[in-house]
């Protein structure tokens, strides 16, 4: 029996974001494909208190069957890595999508500038809808059908519950502060990844840094894609995933 493939979405989103490719993934993989809401996002009403990566990952791990393949996009990638390290019996493989073990820019590590995340946080307090919409626009960058992609994404996301404010705020804190580079370097589970060369949130330069940390790390770069390759370059993305599964 094949292992279950579990999809973990990114910040501000919910499992609706996968509905565009889920049928194709099920066809490709011919095994059970499940999408989960991160704690406090979509229809997940349970939040850890305080909301930390460890607390939220522990809640998610309880929903997993043993030896699952975790496919984590962006923030979901941090959850996938954390679960693989702390509950290894639950994970047989991690596939990161536009994700890195450390998102913040620092000395000798390309990432998101601190002021960008701080701005997102400030805007969240006053204009939640607008902030998420801006984030959606970043996701679709580089896509020839960006406007249609955003429209379709919004419709899919709206089929699930709105994210809880503490989950949104904590998610940004995790992106800004949680550094999983050491864990990534010594993970006992195979890690593969798909990146977009035009990604504004995971700079292209970060990929070689990741490869230097983990000699067994395998990845593919989609040249014309940015932060959401499964939306902007669906066919190319699916054929890459097929080879990784």
């Amino acid at each position: 029996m094949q292992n279950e493939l579990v999809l973990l979405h990114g910040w501000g989103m919910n499992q609706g974001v996968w509905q565009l490719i889920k049928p194709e993934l099920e066809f490709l993989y011919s095994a059970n494909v499940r999408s989960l809401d991160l704690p406090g996002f979509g229809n997940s009403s349970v939040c850890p208190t305080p909301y930390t990566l460890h607390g939220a990952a522990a809640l998610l791990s309880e929903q997993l069957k043993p030896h699952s393949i975790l496919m984590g996009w962006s923030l979901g990638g941090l959850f996938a890595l954390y679960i693989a390290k702390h509950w290894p019996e639950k994970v047989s493989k991690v596939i990161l999508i536009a994700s890195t073990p450390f998102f913040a820019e620092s000395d000798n590590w390309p990432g998101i500038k601190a002021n960008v995340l701080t701005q997102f946080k400030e805007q969240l307090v006053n204009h939640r809808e607008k902030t998420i919409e801006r984030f959606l626009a970043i996701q679709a960058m580089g896509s020839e059908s960006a406007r249609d992609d955003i429209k379709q994404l919004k419709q899919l996301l709206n089929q699930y519950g709105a994210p809880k404010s503490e989950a949104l705020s904590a998610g940004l804190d995790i992106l800004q502060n949680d550094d999983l580079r050491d864990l990534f370097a010594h993970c006992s589970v195979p890690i593969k990844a798909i990146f977009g060369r035009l990604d504004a949130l995971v700079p292209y330069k970060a990929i070689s840094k990741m490869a230097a940390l983990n000699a067994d790390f395998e990845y593919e770069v989609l040249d014309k894609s940015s932060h959401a390759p499964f939306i902007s370059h669906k066919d190319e993305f699916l054929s890459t995933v097929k080879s990784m599964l």
Side-chain angles (χ1 to χ4, degrees), residues 56-99:
L59 287 173
L60 265 184
S61 72
E62 289 164 12
Q63 300 174 58
L64 299 175
K65 292 179 178 164
H67 314 297
S68 298
I69 296 175
L70 296 188
M71 188 189 281
W73 171 45
S74 198
L75 174 64
L78 286 177
F79 277 88
L81 287 172
Y82 197 90
I83 293 168
K85 178 70 177 175
H86 292 86
W87 297 275
E89 73 286 352
K90 293 286 179 112
V91 186
S92 64
K93 185 189 291 180
V94 168
I95 300 176
L96 301 174
I97 300 165
S99 191

Coordinates of all heavy atoms in Angstrom, one line a residue, residues 56-99:
A56 N 1.8 24.0 17.3 CA 1.0 23.8 16.1 C 1.4 22.5 15.4 O 0.5 21.8 14.9 CB 1.1 25.0 15.2
A57 N 2.7 22.2 15.3 CA 3.1 21.0 14.6 C 2.7 19.8 15.3 O 2.3 18.8 14.7 CB 4.6 21.1 14.4
A58 N 2.7 19.8 16.7 CA 2.2 18.7 17.4 C 0.7 18.4 17.1 O 0.4 17.2 17.0 CB 2.4 19.0 18.9
L59 N -0.1 19.4 17.0 CA -1.5 19.2 16.7 C -1.7 18.6 15.3 O -2.5 17.7 15.1 CB -2.3 20.6 16.7 CG -2.5 21.2 18.1 CD1 -3.1 22.6 18.0 CD2 -3.5 20.3 18.9
L60 N -0.9 19.1 14.4 CA -0.9 18.5 13.0 C -0.5 17.1 13.0 O -1.1 16.2 12.3 CB 0.0 19.3 12.1 CG -0.6 20.5 11.3 CD1 0.5 21.1 10.4 CD2 -1.8 20.1 10.5
S61 N 0.6 16.8 13.7 CA 1.2 15.4 13.7 C 0.2 14.4 14.1 O 0.2 13.2 13.7 CB 2.4 15.3 14.5 OG 2.1 15.4 15.9
E62 N -0.8 14.8 15.0 CA -1.8 13.8 15.5 C -2.8 13.4 14.4 O -3.4 12.4 14.5 CB -2.6 14.5 16.6 CG -1.8 14.6 17.9 CD -2.4 15.6 18.9 OE1 -3.6 16.0 18.7 OE2 -1.7 15.9 19.9
Q63 N -2.8 14.2 13.3 CA -3.8 13.9 12.2 C -3.1 13.1 11.1 O -3.8 12.7 10.1 CB -4.3 15.3 11.6 CG -5.0 16.2 12.6 CD -5.3 17.5 11.9 OE1 -6.0 17.5 10.9 NE2 -4.9 18.6 12.5
L64 N -1.8 12.8 11.3 CA -1.1 12.1 10.2 C -1.1 10.6 10.5 O -1.0 10.1 11.6 CB 0.4 12.6 10.2 CG 0.6 14.0 9.8 CD1 2.1 14.4 9.9 CD2 0.0 14.4 8.4
K65 N -1.1 9.8 9.4 CA -0.9 8.4 9.4 C 0.6 8.1 9.4 O 1.3 9.0 8.9 CB -1.6 7.7 8.2 CG -3.1 7.8 8.3 CD -3.7 7.1 7.1 CE -5.2 7.2 7.2 NZ -5.9 6.9 6.0
P66 N 1.1 7.0 9.9 CA 2.5 6.7 9.8 C 3.0 6.7 8.4 O 2.3 6.4 7.5 CB 2.6 5.3 10.4 CG 1.4 5.2 11.3 CD 0.3 5.9 10.6
H67 N 4.3 7.2 8.2 CA 5.0 7.2 6.9 C 4.3 8.0 5.8 O 4.3 7.7 4.6 CB 5.1 5.7 6.4 CG 5.6 4.8 7.4 ND1 6.9 4.9 8.0 CD2 5.0 3.7 8.0 CE1 7.0 3.9 8.9 NE2 5.9 3.2 8.9
S68 N 3.7 9.1 6.2 CA 3.1 10.0 5.2 C 4.2 10.8 4.5 O 5.3 11.0 5.0 CB 2.2 11.1 5.9 OG 1.1 10.4 6.6
I69 N 3.8 11.1 3.2 CA 4.7 12.1 2.5 C 4.1 13.4 2.7 O 2.9 13.7 2.4 CB 4.7 11.7 1.0 CG1 5.3 10.3 0.7 CG2 5.4 12.8 0.2 CD1 5.2 9.9 -0.7
L70 N 4.9 14.4 3.2 CA 4.4 15.7 3.5 C 4.9 16.7 2.4 O 6.1 16.8 2.2 CB 5.0 16.2 4.9 CG 4.5 15.5 6.1 CD1 5.0 16.2 7.4 CD2 3.0 15.3 6.2
M71 N 3.9 17.3 1.8 CA 4.2 18.3 0.8 C 3.8 19.7 1.4 O 2.7 20.0 1.6 CB 3.5 18.1 -0.5 CG 3.9 19.0 -1.6 SD 2.8 18.9 -3.1 CE 3.5 17.4 -3.8
G72 N 4.9 20.5 1.7 CA 4.6 21.7 2.4 C 5.0 22.9 1.6 O 6.1 23.0 1.1
W73 N 4.0 23.8 1.4 CA 4.3 25.1 0.6 C 4.6 26.2 1.6 O 3.8 26.5 2.5 CB 3.0 25.4 -0.2 CG 3.1 26.7 -0.9 CD1 4.1 27.3 -1.6 CD2 2.0 27.6 -1.0 NE1 3.7 28.5 -2.1 CE2 2.4 28.7 -1.7 CE3 0.7 27.6 -0.5 CZ2 1.6 29.9 -2.0 CZ3 -0.1 28.7 -0.8 CH2 0.3 29.8 -1.5
S74 N 5.7 26.9 1.3 CA 6.0 28.1 2.1 C 6.0 27.8 3.6 O 6.8 27.0 4.1 CB 5.0 29.2 1.7 OG 5.5 30.5 2.0
L75 N 5.2 28.5 4.4 CA 5.1 28.2 5.8 C 4.8 26.8 6.1 O 5.4 26.2 7.1 CB 4.0 29.1 6.5 CG 3.7 28.9 7.9 CD1 4.9 29.2 8.8 CD2 2.5 29.7 8.4
G76 N 4.0 26.1 5.2 CA 3.7 24.7 5.4 C 5.0 23.8 5.3 O 5.0 22.7 5.9
G77 N 6.0 24.3 4.6 CA 7.3 23.6 4.5 C 8.0 23.6 5.9 O 8.6 22.6 6.2
L78 N 7.9 24.7 6.6 CA 8.5 24.7 8.0 C 7.8 23.6 8.9 O 8.5 22.9 9.6 CB 8.4 26.0 8.6 CG 9.3 27.2 8.1 CD1 9.0 28.5 8.8 CD2 10.8 26.8 8.3
F79 N 6.5 23.5 8.8 CA 5.8 22.5 9.5 C 6.2 21.1 9.1 O 6.4 20.3 10.0 CB 4.3 22.7 9.3 CG 3.6 23.8 10.2 CD1 3.6 25.1 9.8 CD2 3.1 23.4 11.4 CE1 3.0 26.0 10.6 CE2 2.5 24.4 12.3 CZ 2.5 25.7 11.9
A80 N 6.3 20.9 7.8 CA 6.7 19.6 7.3 C 8.1 19.2 7.8 O 8.3 18.0 8.3 CB 6.7 19.6 5.8
L81 N 9.0 20.1 7.8 CA 10.4 19.8 8.3 C 10.4 19.5 9.8 O 11.0 18.6 10.3 CB 11.3 21.0 8.0 CG 11.8 21.2 6.6 CD1 12.5 22.5 6.4 CD2 12.6 20.1 6.1
Y82 N 9.6 20.3 10.5 CA 9.6 20.2 12.0 C 9.0 18.9 12.4 O 9.5 18.2 13.3 CB 8.8 21.4 12.6 CG 9.0 21.5 14.1 CD1 10.1 22.4 14.5 CD2 8.3 20.9 15.0 CE1 10.3 22.5 15.9 CE2 8.5 21.0 16.4 CZ 9.5 21.8 16.8 OH 9.8 22.0 18.1
I83 N 7.9 18.5 11.7 CA 7.2 17.2 12.0 C 8.2 16.0 11.7 O 8.3 15.1 12.4 CB 5.9 17.1 11.3 CG1 4.9 18.1 11.8 CG2 5.3 15.7 11.4 CD1 3.6 18.3 11.0
A84 N 8.9 16.1 10.5 CA 9.8 15.0 10.1 C 10.9 14.8 11.1 O 11.3 13.7 11.4 CB 10.4 15.4 8.7
K85 N 11.3 15.9 11.8 CA 12.4 15.8 12.8 C 11.9 15.2 14.1 O 12.5 14.4 14.7 CB 13.0 17.2 12.9 CG 14.1 17.2 14.0 CD 15.4 16.5 13.5 CE 16.5 16.6 14.6 NZ 17.7 15.8 14.2
H86 N 10.7 15.7 14.5 CA 10.2 15.4 15.9 C 9.3 14.2 16.0 O 9.2 13.6 17.0 CB 9.6 16.7 16.5 CG 10.6 17.8 16.8 ND1 10.9 18.7 15.8 CD2 11.3 18.0 17.9 CE1 11.8 19.5 16.4 NE2 12.1 19.1 17.6
W87 N 8.6 13.9 14.8 CA 7.8 12.7 14.8 C 8.1 11.9 13.6 O 7.3 11.7 12.7 CB 6.3 13.1 14.8 CG 5.9 13.8 16.1 CD1 5.5 13.3 17.3 CD2 5.9 15.3 16.3 NE1 5.3 14.3 18.2 CE2 5.5 15.5 17.6 CE3 6.2 16.4 15.5 CZ2 5.4 16.8 18.2 CZ3 6.1 17.7 16.0 CH2 5.7 17.9 17.3
P88 N 9.4 11.4 13.5 CA 9.9 10.8 12.2 C 9.1 9.5 11.8 O 9.0 9.2 10.6 CB 11.3 10.4 12.6 CG 11.4 10.4 14.0 CD 10.4 11.4 14.5
E89 N 8.4 8.9 12.8 CA 7.6 7.7 12.4 C 6.4 8.1 11.5 O 5.8 7.2 10.8 CB 7.2 6.9 13.7 CG 6.1 7.6 14.5 CD 6.5 8.8 15.3 OE1 7.8 9.1 15.4 OE2 5.7 9.5 15.9
K90 N 6.0 9.4 11.6 CA 4.9 9.8 10.8 C 5.2 10.2 9.3 O 4.4 10.4 8.5 CB 4.2 11.1 11.5 CG 3.6 10.8 12.8 CD 2.3 10.1 12.6 CE 1.6 9.8 14.0 NZ 0.4 10.5 14.2
V91 N 6.5 10.4 9.1 CA 7.0 11.0 7.8 C 8.0 10.1 7.0 O 9.0 9.7 7.6 CB 7.6 12.4 8.0 CG1 7.9 13.0 6.7 CG2 6.7 13.2 8.8
S92 N 7.7 9.8 5.8 CA 8.6 9.0 5.0 C 9.4 9.9 4.0 O 10.5 9.5 3.6 CB 7.9 7.9 4.1 OG 7.0 8.6 3.2
K93 N 8.9 11.1 3.7 CA 9.5 12.0 2.8 C 8.9 13.4 2.9 O 7.7 13.5 3.2 CB 9.3 11.5 1.3 CG 10.1 12.3 0.2 CD 9.6 11.8 -1.2 CE 10.1 10.4 -1.5 NZ 9.7 10.0 -2.8
V94 N 9.8 14.4 2.7 CA 9.3 15.8 2.7 C 9.5 16.4 1.3 O 10.6 16.2 0.7 CB 10.0 16.6 3.7 CG1 9.7 18.1 3.5 CG2 9.6 16.2 5.1
I95 N 8.5 17.0 0.7 CA 8.6 17.8 -0.5 C 8.3 19.2 -0.2 O 7.2 19.5 0.1 CB 7.7 17.2 -1.6 CG1 8.1 15.8 -2.0 CG2 7.9 18.1 -2.9 CD1 7.1 15.1 -3.0
L96 N 9.3 20.1 -0.3 CA 9.1 21.5 0.0 C 8.7 22.2 -1.3 O 9.3 21.9 -2.4 CB 10.4 22.1 0.5 CG 11.0 21.6 1.8 CD1 12.4 22.2 2.1 CD2 10.1 21.8 3.0
I97 N 7.8 23.1 -1.2 CA 7.4 23.9 -2.4 C 7.7 25.4 -2.0 O 7.0 25.9 -1.0 CB 6.0 23.7 -2.8 CG1 5.7 22.3 -3.1 CG2 5.6 24.6 -4.0 CD1 4.3 21.9 -3.2
A98 N 8.6 26.0 -2.7 CA 8.9 27.4 -2.5 C 9.1 27.7 -1.0 O 8.4 28.5 -0.4 CB 7.8 28.3 -3.0
S99 N 9.9 26.8 -0.4 CA 10.1 26.9 1.1 C 11.5 26.7 1.4 O 12.3 26.1 0.7 CB 9.2 25.8 1.8 OG 9.1 26.0 3.1

